[in-house]
Amino acid sequence: MNILTASINKTTLERFNQIRTQTEKICAPLEPEDTVVQPMVDVSPPKWHMAHSTWFFEQFVLGPYLKNYRVFHPSYAFLFNSYYNTVGNRVQRAERSTLTRPPLRDVYAYRRHVNEHMGELLNTLSDEKLEELLPVLELGLQHEQQHQELLITDIKYILSTNALLPAYHEAVSVPQASNPGEAAFLEVPGGIYRIGFQGEGFSFDNELGVHEVLLADFQIMNRLVTNREYLEFMQEDGYSDFRFWLDEGLAMVRRDNLKAPLYWLEQDGDWYQFTMHGLEKLDLHKPVSHISFYEAQAYATWAGKRLLTEFEWEAASQVYPPVEGNFQETGMYEPKAATSGTGMQQLYGDTWEWTYSAYHPYPGFSTAPGALGEYNGKFMVNQMVLRGGSCATPERHIRTTYRNFFHPDKRWQFSGIRLAQ
Amino acid sequence: MNILTASINKTTLERFNQIRTQTEKICAPLEPEDTVVQPMVDVSPPKWHMAHSTWFFEQFVLGPYLKNYRVFHPSYAFLFNSYYNTVGNRVQRAERSTLTRPPLRDVYAYRRHVNEHMGELLNTLSDEKLEELLPVLELGLQHEQQHQELLITDIKYILSTNALLPAYHEAVSVPQASNPGEAAFLEVPGGIYRIGFQGEGFSFDNELGVHEVLLADFQIMNRLVTNREYLEFMQEDGYSDFRFWLDEGLAMVRRDNLKAPLYWLEQDGDWYQFTMHGLEKLDLHKPVSHISFYEAQAYATWAGKRLLTEFEWEAASQVYPPVEGNFQETGMYEPKAATSGTGMQQLYGDTWEWTYSAYHPYPGFSTAPGALGEYNGKFMVNQMVLRGGSCATPERHIRTTYRNFFHPDKRWQFSGIRLAQ
Amino acid sequence: MNILTASINKTTLERFNQIRTQTEKICAPLEPEDTVVQPMVDVSPPKWHMAHSTWFFEQFVLGPYLKNYRVFHPSYAFLFNSYYNTVGNRVQRAERSTLTRPPLRDVYAYRRHVNEHMGELLNTLSDEKLEELLPVLELGLQHEQQHQELLITDIKYILSTNALLPAYHEAVSVPQASNPGEAAFLEVPGGIYRIGFQGEGFSFDNELGVHEVLLADFQIMNRLVTNREYLEFMQEDGYSDFRFWLDEGLAMVRRDNLKAPLYWLEQDGDWYQFTMHGLEKLDLHKPVSHISFYEAQAYATWAGKRLLTEFEWEAASQVYPPVEGNFQETGMYEPKAATSGTGMQQLYGDTWEWTYSAYHPYPGFSTAPGALGEYNGKFMVNQMVLRGGSCATPERHIRTTYRNFFHPDKRWQFSGIRLAQ
Amino acid sequence: MNILTASINKTTLERFNQIRTQTEKICAPLEPEDTVVQPMVDVSPPKWHMAHSTWFFEQFVLGPYLKNYRVFHPSYAFLFNSYYNTVGNRVQRAERSTLTRPPLRDVYAYRRHVNEHMGELLNTLSDEKLEELLPVLELGLQHEQQHQELLITDIKYILSTNALLPAYHEAVSVPQASNPGEAAFLEVPGGIYRIGFQGEGFSFDNELGVHEVLLADFQIMNRLVTNREYLEFMQEDGYSDFRFWLDEGLAMVRRDNLKAPLYWLEQDGDWYQFTMHGLEKLDLHKPVSHISFYEAQAYATWAGKRLLTEFEWEAASQVYPPVEGNFQETGMYEPKAATSGTGMQQLYGDTWEWTYSAYHPYPGFSTAPGALGEYNGKFMVNQMVLRGGSCATPERHIRTTYRNFFHPDKRWQFSGIRLAQ
């Protein structure tokens, strides 16, 4: 191993350790019981997240690359595979709460075991092998960062179902939010835009297939829609007036008797919101969050505007750089208010922004062979694209071209609204 | 009324009568009992179709335009409204089989009543009123044509659930199909294409918002995929090899234990197909039909090709005119085989073609005010676009720009596959 | 054939024809569409009842006993078998509405075909064979009478789901009911009672196994509970006060949001009831009907009384003969009011009486070998016994020892309440 | 407080402490995660059992009787009430897995808190108050013993759903079981038997209402049906031959694709059984356990015998005393084999015995006023009585007159078969 390689390996290892440690930091405030339940099928038990992201390295890195590596436990591949049909059978998604064993301490031991062997691997790998390994390793780290975001949103959901409404942590002290005032609408000129990822760094396969898209002129709101604005929609019968709603959205609203975003609670005429620091009075200046695509679309219709397409969003992000915002690194795990002013704000972080684009393949998209080809492509139907990351997204994980996707009825992510006209 | 108007009215009335008569012709072979059941929620009872398309004229034409018009029965608006929230309450979609009353003969009387008053209206309307009325009248006729197609597919489904597998009618005699041979792939050059309806005639609101789309070069299959080709996919474990499937498609296939298209039946090693003329041996040369988007997409992946987007389909239709094919007018109500040769075939009629495009609004789409604004817009999520019409579509109903849409799991329409590469 | 046999056969044939004709009389007012739908799984389409009761004779009488008999249609055994596993496959209960074919006229032809061959059989059978046949023939007739009762209750349910609330027939004119006044409680002395059927005539297997039961003294209400009395229960929060309810009854009431008996409808503060002659104002003097066991039990608890066991009911019927009441033969198909006075009334007819006895085998119960052994025994769990017959029961069908049985949540039968203390 | 009272109190306190300690002993081998999940709605999380049985004392004893008592936590009454409508709102049964908080250590603290105050109460209570309190206190202890049994069966179920099939504890060493040989059938003479609890000690309200029942002669099997015998039923197509089954049993078997008792597993032609000490080869000599009433009834029919009624069982227990068997106190928590010989065996302990008696009120049954009146009465429908206790039942908890009850489809209790003829 020459010096350069050693140095790359060292950096890689540091990054590996940093990301792995962050996952455990997120889980630190939890009780063992918090880490095993699954109150709805979309949510995974935190213990499962911790073990599954570890299994990824064991399955795709240590197994193939570390000589004489012995798996920590022969059953863990069965227990902690998520959805890779190629790799074999697995505990079904809806039954992850059966994993009361292995206990939490064993999962921590599993993480240490894999971390140590990853250290061993990175310290001993040849230049050639390293080059081959790096894309998979990087995918493993990006994968773990995705699970960090899911950990935060799943933990929030788990705590919210508990009748005691326990806080995850004390609120990070932030200056009192003030009213951001009326939103401005900023111009994005029409023309041909280049869409998709190009360049050196990491991207997911769903961002590849760079292609040109022809857009007309449009205007984009300079910040996210606030709780105050959303409350106005609610007070004008937003949830009961069918004219604002897609038919399936209306069906959901009626079936589930929805009257407000997820985590909102009305008590004696006042609105409260369950947050990572417990139940608190609704802050009207903060961006509305935890809404479904249906609600975002209904709000936009009520407001006489519309949502952006994902191509418009990406074009706007080219016109209004850079990538900065309230990400996981602030440790708040809740969105914060925009400031007043007409400049572009909150394009990244705070909440994901629902677009009116289906999550479909870009032209020329093809899945990689083998298990990792199952990463993204097989989900490309019935889901909508969200853009820009949230307060739960690691800053180094997000990009202008990043495509997140959820079914239009999902509400437990930090998801909000930006309008276009 | 001047002579010109009288003549227009006469033509309109003839067209009105022709379309209304055609609906009854479709229902003529049915028993009263066939016209009331609803074996799945997507299917409506034929009697309901007949009454609902009649109610449309009563509600939106006769009521507003014919002086002193008295509705045929005060409850029918409640019974036969489909989904117009604006108009008021209605029998819920899933409960249409409760409508054993009014009996079939009353529904025929209702049709006569409305037809007669429509004749009276068209014979007496002033020029000015006529101009105002024409778009609504045209929408009513287009609406009835849509229900003609649904009548055919719903009747097929209803008969197929009967253990006796009764034929709807005798097979129309057609020359014996021969093998169309290997498909060709025809060029469509890249560039900017104008998408959407423009011109004088009728279109639905979802085709409006003409806009330009930038496409890359691609090749399009010159005919539909045949039963023989699809059978090959089945025989190569197409339904069980997860690698070909979208995740939700795979879930459907496993949950419903699907092994073949709807209406296919295996007996003693041979494949049969339920058709409008009863159960018959599978004709390998005919286009595969009654498949879901999931199956179309899995087939395309297996074949190493892909589906078209709706924009590519519309571009191809501009390159390869004209609009002709095996439509409802042939009276076959089943697709027929392509002929050999490398020219473009079956772009229209035979089966709808699933595209890999979500049914979303075109740029600038907006819903009309009032009840008729509920026609299309509120369904613009979670559905996929199909193009080109089928053997159940009236020829005068279809256009190059026509956008049909169904959820990706639906199989009871005449829906098939055309590939691109 | 000697003269005596000929005479017996003639009587049998007359009885056969009378019962078969009565079934068709019940169905006469129906539209063909009424005869095919199945708005809930408990209800069977009237056309199915007509064909199934006919199939019974074809399967168990004509097939085995009439030489050279050819079945009317080879598929009908599959279509119209109800639940006899021994006999073979069949259309599943929940899918009886798929039977749009054979059309109604074919089912009538089927009935004629079987009736004619039954006539042929009974006119030609030898003495010996006749003796062998009689029990099966009698079972077939009793079976058809059971289906007559179900026809009436199923027709009522089918019509009630129709938004037009059509009447089955004009009300039979009855003298205006007057208030029966306060109920009396009549003594039944304790002791050993003989329970179950003994004697010459017909009984079902579930009545056999005569045995003695030791009862304590009790008192029995001299008439059925009235609508007025039941309304009082409702007005005293009967449906919302958990203290009156069995836990599963409460769960049903809350899940289905029940507030009144089936077929009751509140409009502008007044109560109406859907009857066989349409919607009418609630008659306070008539017995409450169409309630579940749960409601009967809750009412009894509220009233500070209790329901009878089936043994107590049968003991009371020995003390208070004879078997008479408002049965199917009156043609009313609705219960009528009791008169004032303290004598025993309504022990038979009007409404079935829920008992607090599970439908279990009597000591020594055993099922017959073969298909007919499936008649009753396999339903002996999770159902409650009802006694006394209703306004839909044929008078010659009922006995003191007759055990009817339904799940405790069922409400579409004519089922009511008699109290004990 | 006089000396006698002090002594009674001391004994009571010892008994209280013994029972409370036993609950914790049962839970000792569990991980915190094991104590919070709820893999099916019948099962409650062990942590919930521990807290709920504690809440009972707080709610019904400490609150009313200990002056100045302050509840441990104001929310716990809401969290840990089971089904007492009288007491107020509560976490719904199906949502007990949301209770990740309070964490396990808090629940132990809750138990200590209540135990200490119970000690204080019992040490200070006046004679008069003590007498008033004793029945409630006794009910609380009996209640806790019931939850001990449920803890054992729920823990077994929870562990069985885990893919690792973890053992609860090491097997208690027992002498190798030998073949008990052919069963004998013992005489029970007919006559009038007195049924129900009378005497001084504790009983539940559902045992009261002593009454006389007239029984015919019958014979009772001298031991429980073994795994070997049950396997024979399975091998003779017991699960697929409809003739043995009640209709609803057959529906369950087909819907859930049942082929064996719960916890049985076939691997490479051998049968295994999940037990409290992990997966082990099926012991043919042990009693069959974890079967539903439906399976018990089907087995009996196959065997040409029948199940007992609860009255027959109680009569037999009067003829064949005393109450002894393999109860919770052996610490095995699994049934053990009978020995050879024709004497009565296993009438108590090992497995509960399904009877063919519905769980209905005894004559004269009435519920107590207030919350404790909800204890038993409201479940008296749709459930079957089981008799005799199991290996999970505390010996001091069971009686000859004890009526346990479950729905006929339940299989997670230690439930088995004894035949009659």
Side-chain angles (χ1 to χ4, degrees), chain B residues 169 172 174 276-277 286 326-336 391:
Chain B
H169 62 182
V172 172
V174 282
M276 290 297 260
H277 34 274
K286 286 187 182 164
N326 171 25
F327 289 114
Q328 193 190 98
E329 282 75 6
T330 66
M332 297 173 61
Y333 304 169
E334 290 288 345
K336 62 177 188 173
C391 56

Side-chain angles (χ1 to χ4, degrees), chain A residues 255-279:
Chain A
R255 185 194 64 216
D256 298 345
N257 197 23
L258 300 185
K259 300 189 177 319
L262 183 63
Y263 300 139
W264 286 35
L265 197 66
E266 198 175 17
Q267 281 181 343
D268 307 323
D270 287 321
W271 281 103
Y272 294 80
Q273 191 174 22
F274 179 71
T275 71
M276 290 298 260
H277 35 273
L279 194 68

Side-chain angles (χ1 to χ4, degrees), chain D residues 35-241:
Chain D
T35 70
V36 71
V37 294
Q38 185 174 32
M40 71 167 171
V41 73
D42 297 314
V43 162
S44 292
K47 191 165 68 175
W48 183 90
H49 281 297
M50 279 191 280
H52 165 68
S53 55
T54 303
W55 164 81
F56 191 102
F57 291 108
E58 191 171 63
Q59 176 74 35
F60 297 115
V61 180
L62 293 179
Y65 293 96
L66 183 59
K67 214 170 133 184
N68 297 327
Y69 177 72
R70 288 187 51 191
V71 296
F72 181 72
H73 190 292
S75 297
Y76 280 19
F78 177 76
L79 300 183
F80 300 122
N81 177 1
S82 55
Y83 56 71
Y84 298 89
N85 290 297
T86 311
V87 177
N89 287 325
R90 60 191 180 279
V91 171
Q92 288 304 300
R93 179 174 187 104
E95 289 165 13
R96 288 178 183 163
S97 75
T98 62
L99 298 174
T100 63
R101 315 284 178 96
L104 188 54
R105 64 178 173 281
D106 286 13
V107 167
Y108 275 108
Y110 180 37
R111 292 184 67 88
R112 275 195 307 275
H113 174 89
V114 165
N115 289 353
E116 285 161 16
H117 287 84
M118 286 295 295
E120 182 189 331
L121 175 69
L122 290 174
N123 283 329
T124 59
L125 210 62
S126 71
D127 297 11
E128 199 180 329
K129 278 287 175 192
L130 182 67
E131 199 159 339
E132 185 186 328
L133 169 64
L134 266 181
V136 182
L137 176 63
E138 185 58 34
L139 184 59
L141 292 173
Q142 297 282 345
H143 172 258
E144 180 130 359
Q145 288 182 316
Q146 288 184 308
H147 281 278
Q148 287 170 2
E149 171 147 13
L150 291 173
L151 266 168
I152 292 170
T153 53
D154 290 359
I155 289 168
K156 185 171 183 177
Y157 191 85
I158 287 169
L159 297 178
S160 80
T161 65
N162 189 304
L164 298 173
L165 292 178
Y168 166 77
H169 63 183
E170 296 287 301
V172 172
S173 165
V174 282
Q176 183 64 32
S178 58
N179 194 333
E182 197 73 9
F185 279 79
L186 309 178
E187 299 290 339
V188 180
I192 291 179
Y193 286 87
R194 187 170 286 262
I195 300 295
F197 183 82
Q198 49 193 341
E200 293 283 309
F202 176 84
S203 78
F204 286 111
D205 56 358
N206 60 17
E207 302 163 62
L208 299 176
V210 176
H211 61 291
E212 293 184 326
V213 164
L214 182 60
L215 296 177
D217 296 345
F218 67 97
Q219 292 184 311
I220 181 171
M221 197 171 171
N222 78 319
R223 59 162 172 77
L224 295 170
V225 169
T226 64
N227 286 331
R228 178 192 298 277
E229 289 161 336
Y230 196 82
L231 198 55
E232 207 181 317
F233 162 69
M234 287 164 55
Q235 285 161 350
E236 291 192 9
D237 286 331
Y239 276 86
S240 53
D241 190 331

Side-chain angles (χ1 to χ4, degrees), chain A residues 94-148:
Chain A
E95 289 164 15
R96 289 179 182 160
S97 74
T98 62
L99 298 173
T100 63
R101 315 286 177 95
L104 188 54
R105 64 179 173 280
D106 287 11
V107 167
Y108 275 109
Y110 181 36
R111 292 184 66 88
R112 277 195 307 274
H113 174 88
V114 164
N115 289 353
E116 285 161 16
H117 287 85
M118 286 295 294
E120 182 188 334
L121 175 69
L122 290 174
N123 282 329
T124 58
L125 210 62
S126 72
D127 296 12
E128 202 178 327
K129 278 288 177 192
L130 181 67
E131 201 160 335
E132 187 187 324
L133 169 64
L134 267 181
V136 182
L137 177 61
E138 184 59 33
L139 183 60
L141 292 173
Q142 297 282 344
H143 173 257
E144 180 130 1
Q145 287 183 317
Q146 289 185 308
H147 280 278
Q148 286 170 3

Side-chain angles (χ1 to χ4, degrees), chain A residues 69-358:
Chain A
Y69 177 72
R70 289 186 51 190
V71 296
F72 181 73
H73 190 292
S75 297
Y76 280 21
F78 176 76
L79 299 183
F80 299 123
N81 177 1
S82 56
Y83 55 71
Y84 298 90
N85 291 297
T86 311
V87 177
N89 286 325
R90 60 191 179 279
V91 171
Q92 288 304 299
R93 181 176 184 103
E95 289 164 15
R96 289 179 182 160
S97 74
T98 62
L99 298 173
T100 63
R101 315 286 177 95
L104 188 54
R105 64 179 173 280
D106 287 11
V107 167
Y108 275 109
Y110 181 36
R111 292 184 66 88
R112 277 195 307 274
H113 174 88
V114 164
N115 289 353
E116 285 161 16
H117 287 85
M118 286 295 294
E120 182 188 334
L121 175 69
L122 290 174
N123 282 329
T124 58
L125 210 62
S126 72
D127 296 12
E128 202 178 327
K129 278 288 177 192
L130 181 67
E131 201 160 335
E132 187 187 324
L133 169 64
L134 267 181
V136 182
L137 177 61
E138 184 59 33
L139 183 60
L141 292 173
Q142 297 282 344
H143 173 257
E144 180 130 1
Q145 287 183 317
Q146 289 185 308
H147 280 278
Q148 286 170 3
E149 171 147 12
L150 291 172
L151 266 169
I152 292 170
T153 54
D154 289 0
I155 288 168
K156 185 170 182 178
Y157 191 84
I158 287 168
L159 296 178
S160 80
T161 64
N162 189 303
L164 299 173
L165 292 179
Y168 165 78
H169 62 183
E170 295 288 299
V172 172
S173 164
V174 283
Q176 181 66 31
S178 58
N179 192 335
E182 196 74 9
F185 278 80
L186 309 178
E187 298 290 338
V188 180
I192 292 178
Y193 284 86
R194 187 169 285 261
I195 299 295
F197 183 81
Q198 48 193 342
E200 293 284 308
F202 175 85
S203 78
F204 285 111
D205 56 357
N206 60 17
E207 301 165 61
L208 299 177
V210 176
H211 61 290
E212 293 184 326
V213 164
L214 182 60
L215 296 177
D217 296 347
F218 68 97
Q219 292 184 312
I220 181 172
M221 197 173 172
N222 76 319
R223 58 162 175 76
L224 295 168
V225 168
T226 63
N227 285 331
R228 178 192 296 279
E229 289 162 334
Y230 196 83
L231 197 54
E232 207 179 318
F233 161 70
M234 287 163 54
Q235 285 160 349
E236 292 191 8
D237 286 332
Y239 276 85
S240 54
D241 190 332
F242 63 84
R243 292 173 306 155
F244 308 136
W245 293 84
L246 290 168
D247 203 52
E248 298 186 22
L250 191 62
M252 176 181 83
V253 159
R254 289 180 177 171
R255 185 194 64 216
D256 298 345
N257 197 23
L258 300 185
K259 300 189 177 319
L262 183 63
Y263 300 139
W264 286 35
L265 197 66
E266 198 175 17
Q267 281 181 343
D268 307 323
D270 287 321
W271 281 103
Y272 294 80
Q273 191 174 22
F274 179 71
T275 71
M276 290 298 260
H277 35 273
L279 194 68
E280 61 174 25
K281 209 144 181 252
L282 186 69
D283 185 329
L284 296 173
H285 305 321
K286 286 187 182 163
V288 66
S289 187
H290 298 298
I291 56 165
S292 63
F293 168 79
Y294 296 127
E295 289 161 297
Q297 187 278 339
Y299 176 85
T301 303
W302 168 83
K305 314 284 183 191
R306 63 177 180 84
L307 302 178
L308 288 82
T309 67
E310 67 165 323
F311 306 114
E312 289 174 332
W313 193 97
E314 192 164 326
S317 78
Q318 294 173 20
V319 176
Y320 297 98
V323 180
E324 59 182 27
N326 170 24
F327 289 114
Q328 193 190 100
E329 282 76 4
T330 66
M332 296 173 62
Y333 304 169
E334 291 288 346
K336 62 176 189 173
T339 57
S340 59
T342 59
M344 176 62 81
Q345 293 186 69
Q346 299 177 318
L347 201 54
Y348 299 94
D350 289 314
T351 74
W352 289 96
E353 305 176 16
W354 284 108
T355 71
Y356 209 137
S357 289

